[in-house]
């Protein structure tokens, strides 16, 4: 079976609002107030918890304070787990495209660098977990993206041949993962870093989820 594997944050769903709130919980605990802005820092949010903490610490002139970063990372994850879907929304047309791909005979799954437990909980809260045949998180395996095995395992768990897959993502990490795996990538242009995606030279750019089935058929047959 041919498979289409999706990244989660910034690709299927805009999770930046809840991620930034979790980071700001940490900065408030440090006595610094809200160091991140939901609008202008959305791109950093979609790169993960450590990236958010690092940005905030830089703004506090504590860029090299690794001990504080390490201390607050689990605090951030705990705060995020308590408020994981208040501000998160699926991107328009994402789930319609997933259903069309399944109708066309493709397996669909998720490969995310979000911790597995949080990813599973978020997908359930959004009511879309059952739509995906696989879900491989940051800690599911001993490796994570951009290691190709992370993508390959998501394809296998979706019932597919790892060599016959493509990755839908929104970052340089996703592009590197697909390149390392020797499979095509499709990068979305509607996320916070959408304008930078063309420079990564993916096999395709995605402006609208309605176009995804045709793109996949062109890339995978």
């Amino acid at each position: 079976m041919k498979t289409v594997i999706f990244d989660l944050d910034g690709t299927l769903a805009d999770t930046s609002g809840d991620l930034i709130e979790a980071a700001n919980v940490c900065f408030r605990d440090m006595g610094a107030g809200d160091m991140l802005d939901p609008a202008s820092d959305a791109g950093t949010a979609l790169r993960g918890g450590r990236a958010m903490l690092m940005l905030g610490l830089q703004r506090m002139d504590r860029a090299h304070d690794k001990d504080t970063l390490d201390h607050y990372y689990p605090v951030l994850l705990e705060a995020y787990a308590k408020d994981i879907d208040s501000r998160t929304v699926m991107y328009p047309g994402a789930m319609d495209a997933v259903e069309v791909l399944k109708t066309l005979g493709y397996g669909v799954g998720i490969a995310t660098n979000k911790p597995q437990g949080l990813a599973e909980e978020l997908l359930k809260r959004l009511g879309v977990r059952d739509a995906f045949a696989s879900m491989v998180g940051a800690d599911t395996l001993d490796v994570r993206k951009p290691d190709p095995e992370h993508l390959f395992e998501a394809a296998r768990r979706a019932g597919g041949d790892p060599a016959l897959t493509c990755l839908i993502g929104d970052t340089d990490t996703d592009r590197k993962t697909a390149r390392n795996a020797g499979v095509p990538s499709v990068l979305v242009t509607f996320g916070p870093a959408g304008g930078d995606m063309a420079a990564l030279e993916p096999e395709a750019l995605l402006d609208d989820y309605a176009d995804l089935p045709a793109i996949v058929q062109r890339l995978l047959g």
Side-chain angles (χ1 to χ4, degrees):
M1 180 187 291
K2 298 171 184 176
T3 56
V4 182
I5 304 301
F6 293 83
D7 173 57
L8 177 52
D9 298 71
T11 299
L12 284 169
D14 182 355
T15 57
S16 61
D18 290 313
L19 288 165
I20 285 177
E21 174 58 24
N24 280 333
V25 166
C26 297
F27 296 126
R28 291 196 291 268
D29 189 67
M30 296 177 203
D34 291 353
M35 298 303 298
L36 301 186
D37 178 78
S40 60
D41 294 323
T44 300
L46 296 175
R47 285 168 39 215
R50 290 185 180 276
M52 290 188 294
L53 290 173
M54 189 174 298
L55 177 59
L57 288 170
Q58 287 173 352
R59 291 173 177 170
M60 297 162 63
D61 294 323
R62 296 171 62 180
H64 302 294
D65 192 347
K66 184 178 182 300
D67 289 342
T68 296
L69 190 153
D70 290 342
H71 171 76
Y72 273 99
Y73 182 63
V75 176
L76 184 153
L77 294 181
E78 182 178 356
Y80 183 58
K82 290 178 180 177
D83 188 12
I84 199 169
D85 66 335
S86 296
R87 306 159 189 82
T88 292
V89 293
M90 299 295 294
Y91 283 114
M95 296 313 299
D96 291 336
V98 166
E99 293 305 319
V100 171
L101 289 168
K102 290 162 67 174
T103 299
L104 293 171
Y106 297 97
V108 294
I110 292 174
T112 175
N113 278 350
K114 193 186 212 74
Q116 181 175 348
L118 292 176
E120 291 279 8
E121 180 63 21
L122 177 59
L123 292 167
K124 289 174 184 174
R125 294 274 192 95
L126 294 173
V128 300
R129 176 62 184 91
D130 291 344
F132 299 92
S134 68
M135 209 301 297
V136 178
D139 49 356
T140 306
L141 309 174
D142 292 334
V143 297
R144 56 191 286 181
K145 295 184 297 184
D147 191 301
E149 185 58 29
H150 194 266
L151 172 60
F152 290 154
E153 185 63 14
R156 290 189 200 99
R157 294 188 183 196
D161 180 343
L164 300 175
T165 191
C166 67
L167 177 60
I168 317 301
D170 72 310
T171 64
D172 182 49
T173 298
D174 295 313
R175 179 69 186 100
K176 288 178 179 176
T177 303
R179 183 182 288 119
N180 292 341
V183 301
S185 62
V186 179
L187 299 181
V188 303
T189 63
F190 41 75
D196 301 329
M197 294 300 100
L200 299 178
E201 299 183 344
E203 281 68 30
L205 294 169
L206 181 65
D207 301 321
D208 187 321
Y209 262 113
D211 300 328
L212 184 59
I215 291 173
V216 169
Q217 286 182 304
R218 173 171 61 82
L219 294 176
L220 293 181

